[in-house]
């Protein structure tokens, strides 16, 4: 651990030194008034406190926030460019990254649609909403908090102002949040099985399996995210396949052909996951994580990313055409076109600078394509 801390501190000191010479980074106001050695020591102690001593960590604003003060809206969504925050409940929400919930919620919608057995009555709507709460706020919130906990050393390099490496939230508070969200999600899953009258608790086991996958993705010794291919496919399957399966199992029967189809669609999820790896290249290199941008270089990795997204969707369109559903296939191709446009307009130009803008522009068309595919399989 001491070697990691020394690496973190050295990198930060190097950044401060380089910023004085090249003016590439803006120093916080207090750094101008404080000798670099004092700032260095304080930052090092902050990381140690967040990592080792639970009782000594107190809520405080991060000591290195994004330029421009950050956005309160970004803070609530849990994305980069977040404002400094000391309110503990806002920090807890930030750890769950609400911006990552919609794909899971949408996956439940797709599964319900694919079942062919969803009806617009009060009971089915209530079931679907409860399944969305399980998939989004509870289990995705659990996954994101867990991932931030095991990524605290990488974040200390890439995003030191985040809640855990900055010391804005204590170890006990993070761990209690992880357990609360996990048990809450599993409890809801069991309730849904009882409500649906399942003889075998399929929703519960899907939730349990997804939770285990989230753990081995983030935590040693397996830590799937250390391998760019396996880790990103696991992430893609978690965002596309698992919520779809839960929604379909809740209202109908989960069939082998749907399992295969959604796992194929998860290759597109692999591409989406690669988008998030570009911002972490520096920290991944420092800690030996073989993300695809690290393993292949940023230039090659960005083409792997868009290829996984586009070729997968075109393959699904071909499958629908071969299954005698040309209108659904045509609709899916029509949704792929704007994604390609945004890839050239934003992502391929600069995957780090435009990652959020690209995802906000292109992903709505991808998730609409998921619904088109779900509707096609339900008929």
């Amino acid at each position: 651990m001491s070697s990691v801390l020394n690496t973190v501190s050295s990198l930060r000191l190097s950044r401060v030194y380089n910023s004085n010479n090249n003016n590439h980074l803006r120093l916080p106001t207090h750094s101008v008034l404080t000798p670099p050695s004092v700032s260095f020591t304080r930052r090092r102690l902050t990381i140690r406190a967040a990592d080792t001593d639970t009782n000594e960590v107190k809520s405080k604003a991060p000591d290195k926030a994004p330029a421009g003060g950050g956005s309160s809206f970004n803070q609530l969504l849990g994305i980069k460019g977040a404002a400094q925050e000391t309110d503990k409940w806002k920090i807890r929400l930030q750890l769950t990254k609400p911006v990552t919930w919609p794909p899971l919620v949408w996956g439940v919608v797709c599964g319900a649609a694919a079942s062919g057995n969803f009806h617009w009555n009060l009971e089915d709507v209530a079931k679907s909403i409860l399944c969305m709460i399980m998939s989004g706020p509870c289990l995705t919130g659990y996954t994101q908090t867990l991932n931030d906990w095991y990524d605290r050393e990488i974040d200390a390099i890439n995003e030191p102002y985040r809640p855990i490496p900055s010391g804005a939230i204590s170890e006990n508070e993070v761990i209690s949040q992880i357990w609360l969200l996990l048990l809450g999600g599993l409890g809801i899953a069991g309730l849904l099985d009882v409500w649906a009258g399942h003889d075998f608790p399929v929703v519960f086991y899907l939730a349990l399996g997804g939770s285990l996958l989230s753990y081995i993705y983030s935590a040693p010794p397996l830590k799937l995210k250390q391998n760019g291919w396996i880790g990103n496919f696991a992430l893609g399957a978690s965002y596309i396949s698992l919520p779809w399966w839960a929604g379909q199992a809740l209202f109908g029967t989960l069939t082998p052909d749907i399992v295969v189809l959604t796992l194929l669609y998860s290759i597109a999820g692999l591409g989406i996951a690669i988008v998030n790896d570009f911002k972490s290249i520096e920290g991944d290199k420092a800690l030996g994580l073989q993300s695809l941008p690290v393993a292949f270089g940023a230039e090659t990795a960005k083409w792997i990313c868009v290829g996984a997204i586009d070729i997968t969707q075109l393959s699904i369109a071909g499958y629908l055409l071969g299954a005698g559903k040309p209108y659904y296939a045509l609709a899916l191709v029509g949704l792929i076109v704007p994604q390609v446009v945004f890839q050239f307009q934003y992502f391929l130009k600069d995957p780090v600078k435009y990652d959020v803008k690209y995802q906000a522009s292109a992903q709505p068309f991808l998730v609409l394509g998921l619904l088109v595919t779900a509707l096609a399989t339900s008929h």
Side-chain angles (χ1 to χ4, degrees):
M1 180 56 69
S2 61
S3 62
V4 174
L5 294 172
N6 290 334
T7 301
V8 173
S9 302
S10 299
L11 285 170
R12 290 183 177 172
L13 184 57
S14 174
R15 288 180 178 177
V16 172
Y17 174 80
N18 290 334
S19 67
N20 289 335
N21 289 278
N22 301 322
N23 292 322
H24 289 164
L25 294 174
R26 182 179 299 171
L27 292 177
T29 303
H30 69 269
S31 296
V32 177
L33 302 175
T34 307
S37 59
V38 175
S39 176
F40 169 83
T41 304
R42 181 169 63 253
R43 291 180 182 173
R44 179 174 178 179
L45 288 176
T46 299
I47 297 170
R48 287 175 64 88
D51 193 22
T52 59
D53 195 338
T54 303
N55 297 325
E56 292 182 6
V57 177
K58 297 180 180 179
S59 178
K60 63 189 183 79
D63 63 349
K64 183 179 179 184
S71 163
S72 297
F73 183 68
N74 287 9
Q75 189 275 326
L76 291 175
L77 291 180
I79 59 179
K80 69 179 182 179
Q84 298 183 19
E85 185 57 65
T86 57
D87 183 280
K88 196 55 65 73
W89 288 105
K90 289 184 179 180
I91 292 171
R92 286 184 179 278
L93 181 63
Q94 181 181 359
L95 284 175
T96 66
K97 295 183 183 175
V99 73
T100 63
W101 300 351
L104 282 293
V105 170
W106 191 256
V108 173
V109 172
C110 292
S115 73
N117 199 36
F118 175 84
H119 302 95
W120 286 101
N121 55 48
L122 182 60
E123 182 179 2
D124 282 4
V125 169
K127 283 181 184 177
S128 63
I129 291 174
L130 195 58
C131 192
M132 292 173 189
I133 293 172
M134 174 197 75
S135 300
C138 289
L139 295 182
T140 306
Y142 150 78
T143 299
Q144 295 295 347
T145 307
L146 184 74
N147 187 63
D148 265 26
W149 171 247
Y150 283 107
D151 271 1
R152 61 195 184 276
E153 290 150 0
I154 298 177
D155 286 341
I157 299 172
N158 295 317
E159 300 175 277
Y161 46 82
R162 286 194 60 77
I164 297 175
S166 71
I169 187 168
S170 72
E171 176 181 334
N172 275 348
E173 289 168 326
V174 174
I175 292 175
S176 64
Q177 175 164 315
I178 290 170
W179 278 107
L180 180 65
L181 293 171
L182 172 62
L183 295 177
L186 294 178
I188 292 174
L191 176 62
L192 287 170
D193 280 316
V194 173
W195 196 350
H198 291 159
D199 294 327
F200 179 80
V202 58
V203 178
F204 175 81
Y205 278 107
L206 285 172
L208 185 62
S211 302
L212 177 60
L213 182 62
S214 298
Y215 180 79
I216 64 175
Y217 172 81
S218 297
L222 294 179
K223 199 163 189 173
L224 299 181
K225 67 184 301 177
Q226 292 182 114
N227 182 289
W229 293 108
I230 298 174
N232 284 330
F233 182 77
L235 194 61
S238 298
Y239 273 80
I240 293 176
S241 299
L242 284 171
W244 182 316
W245 296 348
Q248 183 154 349
L250 182 60
F251 294 102
T253 303
L254 185 58
T255 56
D257 59 323
I258 290 297
V259 171
V260 172
L261 183 66
T262 51
L263 286 175
L264 177 60
Y265 230 128
S266 296
I267 299 175
L270 177 149
I272 296 170
I274 297 173
V275 175
N276 296 316
D277 288 338
F278 287 90
K279 66 183 180 182
S280 303
I281 291 177
E282 184 179 350
D284 290 346
K285 284 181 178 178
L287 295 178
L289 298 182
Q290 287 298 304
S291 66
L292 294 185
V294 171
F296 293 96
E299 189 65 26
T300 301
K302 68 184 184 183
W303 286 103
I304 294 174
C305 173
V306 298
I309 294 171
D310 299 341
I311 293 173
T312 297
Q313 293 179 93
L314 288 171
S315 300
I316 298 293
Y319 165 79
L320 295 178
L321 183 63
K325 299 174 181 179
Y327 296 112
Y328 288 103
L330 184 61
L332 184 55
V333 171
L335 291 168
I336 296 171
V337 171
Q339 295 178 60
V340 175
V341 171
F342 288 125
Q343 286 164 1
F344 279 94
Q345 185 176 353
Y346 296 123
F347 182 73
L348 292 173
K349 283 184 178 179
D350 191 332
V352 177
K353 181 178 180 181
Y354 295 117
D355 62 336
V356 174
K357 185 174 288 188
Y358 162 68
Q359 293 188 78
S361 303
Q363 283 197 21
F365 295 97
L366 185 142
V367 297
L368 283 173
L370 280 170
L371 182 59
V372 167
T373 304
L375 291 171
T377 60
S378 69
H379 292 83

